[in-house]
Amino acid sequence: MSEHSSELGRGPSHRSTEFAVAGVCILAGLIAIAGGLKAGTGWGPEGPKSGFFPFCVGIVIVLASLVNCVQLWMEKDNGQLFAEWGQLRQVLCVVIPTTVYVFTVPYLGIYVCSIILIALFMKWLGQYPWTITAAIALGVPIAIYLFFEKWFLIPLPKGPLEDLLGL
């Protein structure tokens, strides 16, 4: 068994990861093209319509991703490891809670979600004591509230708790 073939069992190969990323980029490009077509890509009285730029960017993304796929297809697979599964788990430990945070902000508000996310990261990943975790998890959203809402007068997304407190 060669050195490269033993590495394949420890995580995804570099080649398969490149193909997956190219596929996701092609999908994103197609979505941009569809959105551009829906908004209109022609020329209006003021100039190009609002969908013209996203349509063009989508075409560039799809074409560049297809070029990457063709280049990968033509290259010899050397079995190079992209990352070990343990390393990918560490990345997902940050990506998954952050994704949940982004999708819950419109429903719970940025302050409640930030308190939960900061506390989760500090306690789970950083293993800080509860006193420091609570101080920072509460202090950062309070500071953000004071800076943005009170000082700069920029409203941030609020949820039911902020409405209840009248913030």
Side-chain angles (χ1 to χ4, degrees), residues 36-51:
L37 288 171
K38 188 174 181 181
T41 59
W43 202 264
E46 305 86 27
K49 291 187 178 177
S50 60

Side-chain angles (χ1 to χ4, degrees), residues 3-22 72 77-92 95:
E3 178 183 331
H4 293 299
S5 63
S6 67
E7 286 182 353
L8 286 175
R10 295 187 298 151
S13 71
H14 194 275
R15 181 183 176 101
S16 64
T17 305
E18 290 272 355
F19 272 121
V21 170
L72 280 169
D77 185 10
N78 61 6
Q80 185 179 5
L81 185 67
F82 173 70
E84 293 179 6
W85 291 115
Q87 294 169 324
L88 293 176
R89 269 192 292 280
Q90 288 178 330
V91 171
L92 290 177
V95 170

Side-chain angles (χ1 to χ4, degrees), residues 3 8 28 34 63 66 68 75 98 113 125 127 129 134 150 152:
E3 178 183 331
L8 286 175
L63 290 176
L66 288 173
N68 285 341
E75 288 178 359
T98 304
C113 291
L125 297 177
Q127 299 176 346
K150 295 299 181 187
F152 293 124

Side-chain angles (χ1 to χ4, degrees), residues 3-160:
E3 178 183 331
H4 293 299
S5 63
S6 67
E7 286 182 353
L8 286 175
R10 295 187 298 151
S13 71
H14 194 275
R15 181 183 176 101
S16 64
T17 305
E18 290 272 355
F19 272 121
V21 170
V24 169
C25 288
I26 288 171
L27 180 63
L30 290 174
I31 291 170
I33 290 170
L37 288 171
K38 188 174 181 181
T41 59
W43 202 264
E46 305 86 27
K49 291 187 178 177
S50 60
F52 179 76
F53 184 71
F55 176 78
C56 292
V57 169
I59 288 176
V60 170
I61 290 171
V62 169
L63 290 176
S65 299
L66 288 173
V67 167
N68 285 341
C69 286
V70 169
Q71 286 178 341
L72 280 169
W73 190 263
M74 292 172 52
E75 288 178 359
K76 179 181 178 273
D77 185 10
N78 61 6
Q80 185 179 5
L81 185 67
F82 173 70
E84 293 179 6
W85 291 115
Q87 294 169 324
L88 293 176
R89 269 192 292 280
Q90 288 178 330
V91 171
L92 290 177
C93 284
V94 174
V95 170
I96 291 172
T98 304
T99 304
V100 171
Y101 169 81
V102 167
F103 284 108
T104 56
V105 163
Y107 304 104
L108 297 178
I110 196 163
Y111 303 113
V112 171
C113 291
S114 295
I115 291 169
I116 294 168
L117 182 73
I118 292 168
L120 176 76
F121 278 166
M122 288 187 70
K123 196 66 186 153
W124 179 40
L125 297 177
Q127 299 176 346
Y128 287 94
W130 277 112
T131 53
I132 295 173
T133 299
I136 293 175
L138 292 171
V140 169
I142 289 171
I144 290 171
Y145 173 78
L146 293 173
F147 288 140
F148 285 98
E149 301 267 352
K150 295 299 181 187
W151 191 9
F152 293 124
L153 303 174
I154 299 172
L156 296 176
K158 292 179 186 60

